[in-house]
Amino acid sequence: MRTEERVRARPNAVTAWEALFRAQVAVMRTLAAEFPTKDISFNEYDVLFNLSRQPNRELRLRDLNKHVLLTQPSVSRLVDRLTARGLLAKCPEPSDARGTVIRLTDDGFDMFRRVAVEHMKTITERVGGKLDPDELEQLARLCNKLRAGA
C-alpha cells in the first residue's frame, strides 16, 4: 500500500466525529429506553444529576442551561414542572434581581439518589460491559480532552 493510500485509510476528524456521534446516540437511546423509573423522565434526571454535583446543589438557571442537552425554553418548562412537584426550588439570585437560582430540594435529591443507583447499573452494563477498564479510561480521557477544547 502506498503512503497516500495509507493516509486516506486512516480515520480523519470527520470519520472519528461520525463514529463518536453515532455511538453516543445509540447508547443514549438505549439508556433512555431502559431508564429505571416512570417517576421522572430521562431529561428531568439530567437536571437533578447536574444540580446534585453543584455546591449547595444549586445553580443559576442560565448556568444550568450550559450543563444540560436541552434548549433554554425546554429547560425552563422542565424546571417549572420539577418545582411544582417539590423536587426543585426557584429562588431569586441575591446579586442580580433578574437572575434565578435553581436549587435541588431534599425530596429532589432523594429522588435523584434512588434513580441514580438503578441508572448506574444500566450504564455499567451497557458501557462497561462493552469496553475493558483500559478502554474506559482511554474513552474518558479522550472525551474530556475534546470537551476541554470545545
Side-chain angles (χ1 to χ4, degrees), residues 9-127:
R10 287 186 190 154
N12 60 27
V14 174
T15 304
W17 163 247
E18 184 73 18
L20 174 63
F21 180 71
R22 295 205 177 274
Q24 186 265 344
V25 168
V27 171
M28 290 296 289
R29 285 180 179 161
T30 300
L31 294 177
E34 297 178 359
F35 196 63
T37 184
K38 300 297 180 217
D39 295 332
I40 59 172
S41 71
F42 194 71
N43 287 333
E44 290 170 334
Y45 174 83
D46 189 31
V47 168
L48 301 182
F49 167 79
N50 279 287
L51 287 171
S52 76
R53 301 178 78 203
Q54 300 303 317
N56 301 320
R57 298 184 199 141
E58 63 184 28
L59 201 56
R60 287 184 63 138
L61 180 57
R62 74 172 183 208
D63 294 330
L64 178 61
N65 284 318
K66 297 173 189 174
H67 289 275
V68 296
L69 303 174
L70 298 169
T71 63
Q72 186 275 325
S74 296
V75 173
S76 294
R77 288 190 300 272
L78 190 145
V79 163
D80 288 343
R81 286 194 309 271
L82 291 171
T83 300
R85 293 176 55 198
L87 301 175
L88 300 181
K90 290 169 69 172
C91 313
E93 166 64 39
S95 62
D96 179 2
R98 296 170 298 168
T100 301
V101 173
I102 308 303
R103 183 177 48 80
L104 186 60
T105 64
D106 290 341
D107 286 346
F109 187 64
D110 290 343
M111 170 74 75
F112 162 73
R113 286 190 311 184
R114 184 174 54 79
V115 174
V117 170
E118 294 302 315
H119 188 48
M120 285 189 307
K121 290 177 186 175
T122 305
I123 293 169
T124 299
E125 180 181 311
R126 296 296 177 207
V127 178

Side-chain angles (χ1 to χ4, degrees), residues 122-137:
T122 305
I123 293 169
T124 299
E125 180 181 311
R126 296 296 177 207
V127 178
K130 305 295 182 216
L131 302 173
D132 66 39
D134 289 339
E135 290 170 327
L136 290 170
E137 185 178 320

